[in-house]
Amino acid sequence: MTSSYTIIDRVDRARTAVQELMKEDYVSVDADGVSMSKTGPLTVLQVGKKDGHVFLFDVLTCPQIFKDGGLQDLLEGVQVLKVMHASSNDSTSLKCQFDILLQNVFDTQVADRLIEENQGRQLPPKAKLLDVCEKYGVDVSSMKKKGDIEINGRKPMGSTGNTVCLQKR
């Protein structure tokens, strides 16, 4: 599986990407921003397909991507399963900043905690995504650790010389 990405910073490109994503059974979703919270801005929404291709929705540059580009329909719809890890902060930011209520979400952190509880184990602290993947035998060698990715809320992703989400620190 090769990873590739497409930066989406216009409504027309978002519509095309969302049409492609709506054909999937499930997608991975992660939101990032600057001190992301109810008010800390969500700047980038990453949506990945099974084949490894990732769409990076630049909602800092073009927040209309959610409503006019169809991304809200994908996130609120039940047709496509959204696989997330520790989705509560992402969900809060989406609701408070864009009035988007996530539907049909499988949260890997919650699933891991339920499995642990069901097996009678004391609940460990919240697990990181890489830890959960390794625990269940997923090859994580191609995954980037969150610390390796820089999120910059000051410049749009399309700015000259600045590929915001994929710059190594």
Side-chain angles (χ1 to χ4, degrees):
M1 173 170 60
T2 60
S3 292
S4 60
Y5 66 93
T6 304
I7 296 173
I8 307 294
D9 58 1
R10 296 190 330 244
V11 169
D12 60 328
R13 294 184 75 199
R15 283 190 198 116
T16 302
V18 169
Q19 286 175 351
E20 187 175 332
L21 291 165
M22 291 294 265
K23 296 174 185 174
E24 299 288 317
D25 297 326
Y26 62 88
V27 294
S28 61
V29 178
D30 185 37
D32 283 303
V34 180
S35 301
M36 210 169 71
S37 63
K38 288 181 181 180
T39 57
L42 186 160
T43 59
V44 177
L45 191 76
Q46 305 163 59
V47 183
K49 294 173 35 179
K50 288 181 268 190
D51 67 5
H53 188 81
V54 177
F55 292 98
L56 302 169
F57 292 92
D58 183 353
V59 299
L60 174 66
T61 301
C62 186
Q64 299 82 5
I65 286 172
F66 281 117
K67 291 193 188 323
D68 299 337
L71 192 53
Q72 182 170 4
D73 295 334
L74 173 70
L75 297 171
E76 291 185 332
V78 296
Q79 176 183 346
V80 178
L81 177 68
K82 277 67 75 182
V83 179
M84 302 179 76
H85 184 79
S87 65
S88 62
N89 199 36
D90 294 356
S91 179
T92 298
S93 294
L94 285 164
K95 179 61 180 160
C96 293
Q97 295 176 37
F98 301 99
D99 198 28
I100 292 172
L101 183 61
L102 289 171
Q103 298 288 324
N104 198 20
V105 172
F106 179 85
D107 189 315
T108 57
Q109 185 177 67
V110 171
D112 179 56
R113 292 189 75 149
L114 288 172
I115 290 168
E116 291 291 322
E117 185 178 89
N118 189 44
Q119 293 177 347
R121 298 185 183 126
Q122 286 187 336
L123 292 180
K126 294 179 180 177
K128 296 185 184 300
L129 178 59
L130 288 177
D131 296 336
V132 172
C133 290
E134 286 176 339
K135 181 183 200 175
Y136 295 102
V138 175
D139 178 16
V140 296
S141 60
S142 65
M143 294 175 141
K144 290 184 178 182
K145 293 185 180 180
K146 193 77 156 185
D148 292 343
I149 298 173
E150 178 180 326
I151 302 298
N152 180 345
R154 292 184 184 85
K155 294 182 182 178
M157 281 197 278
S159 295
T160 304
N162 186 25
T163 306
V164 175
C165 286
L166 299 175
Q167 282 184 334
K168 288 277 192 178
R169 285 189 178 165

